[in-house]
Amino acid sequence: YNTVADAFAKIGDEDNAKRWLKKGEDAGLTLDATSYTSAINAAGRQGNPEVAASWLERMEADSVTPDEIAYNSVINAYARSGDEESARRYLEKMADAKLRPDGKSFVPLIDLCARRRDPSGASRWLEAMAEYELQPSAVAYTA
């Protein structure tokens, strides 16, 4: 069920991803981190960051510990939608959860600033990477 849900998530088909996760639940399977991350990614690809965040919250409510991938997916969803503040909030939640942000946590924020033609914002996010002792990759510099 996870594999099929993930396949739909990768093409941004949130409805079918959720449908397959529901089928798994109906078959008696417990949703795991992979299941939730598939749903988060599907919502993000469809341009629904609030739905992506709600899946992360449901994940926590169901006592499934979100990993870096789940948080990065929500951060990416908000950044792609242009909501820098919400993306930043999830970056902070990630750190509060004792998870270490990585380059994939920051690149969507740098890209958002670049799309907005906000070089000072992009610079701020590059500097924030240094706070986590992260070296920006070529992707971060060319976002």
Side-chain angles (χ1 to χ4, degrees):
Y1 296 97
N2 280 346
T3 303
V4 176
D6 190 52
F8 279 111
K10 285 180 178 166
I11 62 168
D13 188 339
E14 180 183 354
D15 292 334
N16 276 313
K18 288 193 296 190
R19 186 170 59 85
W20 277 93
L21 291 176
K22 177 77 170 113
K23 281 184 176 192
E25 282 183 304
D26 291 347
L29 301 175
T30 302
L31 297 182
D32 60 13
T34 301
S35 309
Y36 286 103
T37 301
S38 292
I40 291 166
N41 281 325
R45 289 177 191 269
Q46 288 284 71
N48 296 316
E50 292 84 9
V51 173
S54 72
W55 275 102
L56 188 132
E57 291 164 15
R58 178 178 170 194
M59 183 179 194
E60 293 173 322
D62 289 347
S63 300
V64 177
T65 304
D67 59 10
E68 292 86 349
I69 297 168
Y71 276 99
N72 284 344
S73 296
V74 173
I75 292 165
N76 187 50
Y78 275 115
R80 286 176 63 185
S81 76
D83 187 346
E84 183 177 359
E85 179 58 29
S86 293
R88 181 199 55 77
R89 202 171 58 249
Y90 276 90
L91 183 66
E92 289 175 359
K93 285 183 179 191
M94 180 181 187
D96 291 345
K98 308 292 186 234
L99 295 171
R100 182 174 161 76
D102 58 18
K104 291 179 182 175
S105 308
F106 289 95
V107 167
L109 290 158
I110 295 166
D111 181 62
L112 170 60
C113 292
R115 286 185 283 128
R116 286 186 178 161
R117 300 177 192 262
D118 176 12
S120 62
S123 296
R124 252 190 346 268
W125 286 114
L126 274 171
E127 291 167 4
M129 289 180 75
E131 293 174 22
Y132 291 96
E133 299 176 0
L134 296 172
Q135 293 296 320
S137 66
V139 174
Y141 281 120
T142 60

